[in-house]
Amino acid sequence: MVAEVMAELAELEDPKARKVNEKHGDDHGVNLGKLRALAKRLKTQQELACRLWATDDNAARLLAILICRPKAFERDELDAMLREARTPKVHDWLVNYVVKKNPHSEELRLAWSADPNPVVASAGWALTTERVAKKPEGLDLPELLDVIEAEMKDAPARLQWAMNHCLAQIGIEHAEHRARAIGIGEHLEVLKDYPTPPGCTSPFAPIWISEMVRRQRDT
């Protein structure tokens, strides 16, 4: 079955898709819409997902993420998988589609947030951002803002992006911390000059927070 799936992924290889994917740091040439269609056809298959992940092929790993059973993984399995994730898309999908749905997500959030590897730490911050939005009880939001204010400016790119997202989420979701979140963004100026396509919201936290709060008020 693995050989059959790998053969089908090879058939889906498209130079144009590879060129687009490589711009985002992903080394495969499979159109993501076609990858999702294949996953829909295969349905949930945990054993196949684990074997596809073991191939170390990134298109196969993305497919594995789509057909796995997120709650079936043990904590140490997910920790190892995150450290093996070589590209941004595999890393992001693993965190968003698998780890967030796993019963060990809070334990991993705490461990990863304190990890010296900035890419691993960025996953911890992504999980923290999820909690800020959906389950903030028990989080020390002023302390999170302290850490962001002290560390975000000089953080490596992926970690900086994740911390900035958390900063924006705190400002968007928690009115009592909004002024401070905007102030931190204005002071640090992280992503202030990030090129933003027309019609899209800037990732610069003060603009991002203000725009999302405006939309909430208008709905």
Side-chain angles (χ1 to χ4, degrees):
M1 188 65 182
V2 174
E4 291 176 13
V5 173
M6 294 301 292
E8 188 158 357
L9 287 173
E11 289 177 7
L12 292 174
E13 176 75 20
D14 178 357
K16 291 181 180 178
R18 177 173 286 275
K19 189 174 181 179
V20 171
N21 292 336
E22 285 180 344
K23 285 183 179 179
H24 302 288
D26 298 313
D27 60 350
H28 69 89
V30 180
N31 175 279
L32 295 181
K34 293 180 179 179
L35 189 77
R36 290 182 184 277
L38 175 56
K40 188 175 182 180
R41 196 174 81 238
L42 290 171
K43 299 180 181 179
T44 302
Q45 297 191 53
Q46 179 67 10
E47 183 181 350
L48 177 59
C50 292
R51 293 176 68 191
L52 287 171
W53 183 273
T55 65
D56 195 32
D57 177 271
N58 281 312
R61 284 185 164 179
L62 290 172
L63 181 61
I65 289 166
L66 294 175
I67 68 169
C68 76
R69 188 174 291 108
K71 293 180 180 179
F73 293 103
E74 296 298 329
R75 178 203 180 282
D76 289 347
E77 287 181 289
L78 291 175
D79 183 71
M81 290 167 73
L82 185 84
R83 295 173 193 280
E84 293 167 359
R86 293 184 286 103
T87 66
K89 184 70 70 178
V90 173
H91 179 278
D92 290 344
W93 280 23
L94 181 65
V95 172
N96 287 299
Y97 297 164
V98 182
V99 180
K100 286 181 180 180
K101 300 176 183 178
N102 184 274
H104 300 290
S105 62
E106 178 62 12
E107 186 182 352
L108 289 168
R109 180 186 78 83
L110 294 170
W112 288 344
S113 295
D115 198 279
N117 182 324
V119 175
V120 174
S122 74
W125 278 93
L127 295 172
T128 298
T129 301
E130 175 88 351
R131 275 204 58 188
V132 166
K134 297 184 177 180
K135 193 180 178 183
E137 299 80 11
L139 287 179
D140 189 335
L141 298 181
E143 183 181 3
L144 284 175
L145 290 172
D146 287 345
V147 174
I148 291 169
E149 188 170 26
E151 300 179 9
M152 182 172 72
K153 181 78 171 179
D154 298 319
R158 284 184 65 80
L159 178 55
Q160 184 185 72
W161 188 274
M163 294 175 82
N164 184 71
H165 190 180
C166 189
L167 173 66
Q169 203 70 54
I170 291 172
I172 293 163
E173 301 289 344
H174 301 278
E176 68 274 25
H177 299 293
R178 187 168 297 147
R180 186 180 176 204
I182 290 173
I184 290 171
E186 290 174 341
H187 172 65
L188 298 182
E189 298 188 335
V190 168
L191 300 175
K192 182 177 182 179
D193 300 319
Y194 190 84
T196 305
C200 295
T201 302
S202 169
F204 180 47
I207 295 175
W208 190 355
I209 293 167
S210 299
E211 174 61 19
M212 297 309 294
V213 171
R214 182 193 65 78
R215 291 183 193 180
Q216 289 173 356
R217 288 172 180 161
D218 290 347
T219 56

